Amino acid sequence: MSNKLNTNMLVLATHNAGKVAEMQKILAPYDIKVLSADDLKLSEPEETGTTFVENALIKAISASKEANMVAIADDSGLCVHALNNRPGIYSARYNEPKKNGFDYAMKCLDEELKEKTDNKDRSAHFSCAIAVAFPNGETKTFEGIVNGSLCWPARGNAGFGYDPMFVPDGYDKSFAELSGDVKNKISHRANALKQFIDYFLK
Ligand code: IMP
């Protein structure tokens, strides 16, 4: 085994297809077989943590125990500066996007920003915590962010979640307009996964 995980197979502890696609692509160059939580029909633990790191650990530890494999989990979200970094860890639950769709969640976020802040500060960042859990109970975490601002109307069809309204600093296109290759180089997830790769796979 040429990596410090001591295995060539790990499970991605997420049922979010957008995250699975991005993480599998970023990890593709390494000699690692990546299974998804759906492949193994793993349960979804309740995210009761108060930080991205705590929630990532809950998911990784649960998947590692259930699958008896090394597990890697991502907990991430959009932090809007003028809204005290909300929706943050509640991004997946803000205005029930699973029920109402992300277009509605994005519209609510834009309206809230306009109402509560006069729309002066539209800066935001995405944050991502990656947790790795081993069957013997050991864990390790990494955190990445990407800064940007929120555009309206939302633009583009690529990516997932809030991508159509997030324009990363240094670009004039939203994450949903940029190619996946660009997002996978500069995103919060890419940033945290790069630290994971440097630590465990190099
Ligand atoms: P959780 O980590 O499963 O709690 O969900 C994270 C939520 O944050 C996702 O459902 C999206 O709403 C949002 N999110 C996290 N990362 C991204 C991203 O890369 N693009 C767009 N939205 C994201």
Side-chain angles (χ1 to χ4, degrees):
M1 215 70 56
S2 62
N3 67 58
K4 297 181 202 87
L5 294 169
N6 288 324
T7 176
N8 279 338
M9 197 175 329
L10 50 78
V11 56
L12 285 184
T14 177
H15 295 267
N16 178 320
K19 287 185 188 178
V20 172
E22 285 184 14
M23 290 166 80
Q24 282 182 329
K25 193 138 197 217
I26 293 169
L27 294 172
Y30 303 90
D31 184 23
I32 291 278
K33 184 164 167 52
V34 183
L35 303 174
S36 77
D38 279 343
D39 291 336
L40 300 180
K41 305 206 170 13
L42 299 183
S43 56
E44 265 184 275
E46 213 186 323
E47 295 181 25
T48 52
T50 56
T51 63
F52 292 112
V53 167
E54 282 174 17
N55 280 337
L57 280 168
I58 288 170
K59 291 185 267 191
I61 292 168
S62 163
S64 173
K65 277 191 187 146
E66 223 176 294
N68 196 27
M69 284 173 64
V70 179
I72 177 169
D74 153 312
D75 198 71
S76 46
L78 179 62
C79 304
V80 182
H81 301 164
L83 299 178
N84 292 326
N85 288 335
R86 289 178 42 254
I89 60 167
Y90 302 106
S91 296
R93 293 165 262 177
Y94 177 77
N95 284 292
E96 299 192 69
K98 277 189 187 153
K99 193 170 109 201
N100 301 320
F102 260 98
D103 286 351
Y104 179 70
M106 287 191 288
K107 186 166 157 281
C108 292
L109 191 58
D110 179 65
E111 279 170 7
E112 197 183 337
L113 199 51
K114 282 178 179 143
E115 225 172 80
K116 290 201 181 146
T117 70
D118 278 348
N119 208 27
K120 281 192 192 111
D121 177 8
R122 294 188 64 93
S123 67
H125 66 271
F126 273 120
S127 196
C128 172
I130 293 284
V132 186
F134 294 82
N136 69 2
E138 279 178 34
T139 60
K140 176 83 186 159
T141 59
F142 306 92
E143 285 183 270
I145 68 162
V146 57
N147 282 301
S149 60
L150 300 182
C151 65
W152 198 257
R155 312 188 304 236
N157 301 309
F160 69 100
Y162 297 90
D163 278 346
M165 72 183 303
F166 184 84
V167 178
D169 283 353
Y171 292 79
D172 55 11
K173 290 183 173 165
S174 75
F175 262 166
E177 294 176 305
L178 290 165
S179 76
D181 284 349
V182 173
K183 184 182 175 193
N184 286 339
K185 281 202 183 84
I186 64 171
S187 79
H188 48 315
R189 189 163 296 105
N191 188 315
L193 276 177
K194 183 177 180 312
Q195 295 171 53
F196 161 80
I197 289 164
D198 286 347
Y199 189 89
F200 282 113
L201 305 182
K202 283 192 171 163

